[in-house]
Amino acid sequence: MTGRLTIAGLGPGDEALVTPEVRAAVAAATDIIGYAPYVALIAPREGLTLHPSDNRMELQRASEALRLASEGRNVVVVSSGDPGVFAMASAVFEALEQAPQWQQLPIRVLPGVTAMLAAAARAGAPLGHDFCAINLSDNLKSWTTIEKRLRLAADADFAIAMYNPRSANRLEGFGRALALLKEAGCGERLVIFARAVSRPDERVETVKLSEAMPEMADMRTVVIVGNSTTRRVGRWIYALRYAE
C-alpha cells in the first residue's frame, strides 16, 4: 500500500486558524473527502479530486477514504474544528475496525482549533478550570443519555461546552437541556452563546442561565455554561483557577 490517509481539522472558520500542518496536508492531497460545506472550503486545483457528501454519511465517506488510500491515493478527510471532537476521526477508525485489510495503511490525525476553544478565547477563559463537552444531538445517542450526562456535569460543577444545541429537526432538545440545568440549580451561572466564531457573521453573547432562551442558539452555535465560580471582569468571562 503506497497511499496514505490524513484526518484533518480545518478549524472554526477563519483561514488564519488552520494549522500549517493541515495546510501542508491539503496541499499534498490527491483527494479531499468530507461533509460538503467543509469540502467547499478547499480550492479546486489540477490533480485534486473533491468528494463532498451529506452530513449523515460519516461511515460511508470513511470507508471511501480508506479504499482510495489503499489504491495509492493521498487522501485527506476534512472536518471543521478538530477531527477528534464530534467529528470524522472516530468514524474513520470505526470503519477501519470493520476492514482489517486496510489496517496497515499509514494514517495521521492532525488536530485543529475546535469550536469550544475558539468560543472560549473570544469570551476570555471560561474553560480555565475543569470542564466537559457534551453533544446535544440525539442522532447517535438517546436523549436519556444526554440528560444523564448534563445532570452529572451540573452536579460535579463542571463548565459545560454544548455542541449542536439546536437545528431545524431538533427544536425541542436545547430547551429541555436549559430547563434541566435550571432545575439543577444552575440558574445564576453565566452562559456564553458563541455563533460562527471567526467568521464574518460571528456573534458572542453572555447572559445568566435563568435568562437563556432556546432561540438564542442554532447548529452554528457553541454554548458554554460556566461553573458556579465563573465570573465577569470587564467584558471578559473567566473561570477561577481554584475550587474548594
Side-chain angles (χ1 to χ4, degrees), residues 114-129:
T114 190
M116 68 179 175
L117 300 183
R122 281 291 190 269
L127 304 181
H129 206 322

Side-chain angles (χ1 to χ4, degrees), residues 219-236:
M219 280 292 288
R220 299 180 66 196
T221 307
V222 171
V223 181
I224 299 178
V225 180
N227 66 20
S228 62
T229 61
T230 298
R231 59 185 65 188
R232 293 180 188 264
V233 53
R235 66 185 182 89
W236 302 103

Side-chain angles (χ1 to χ4, degrees), residues 148-158 160 181 184 186 189:
K148 177 181 178 181
R149 292 175 179 174
L150 285 170
R151 286 193 187 93
L152 290 172
D155 185 59
D157 200 17
F158 284 119
I160 307 168
L181 292 172
C186 301
R189 293 195 191 187

Side-chain angles (χ1 to χ4, degrees), residues 20-33:
E21 188 178 33
V22 169
R23 289 180 190 276
V26 168
T30 61
D31 297 81
I32 301 288
I33 293 180

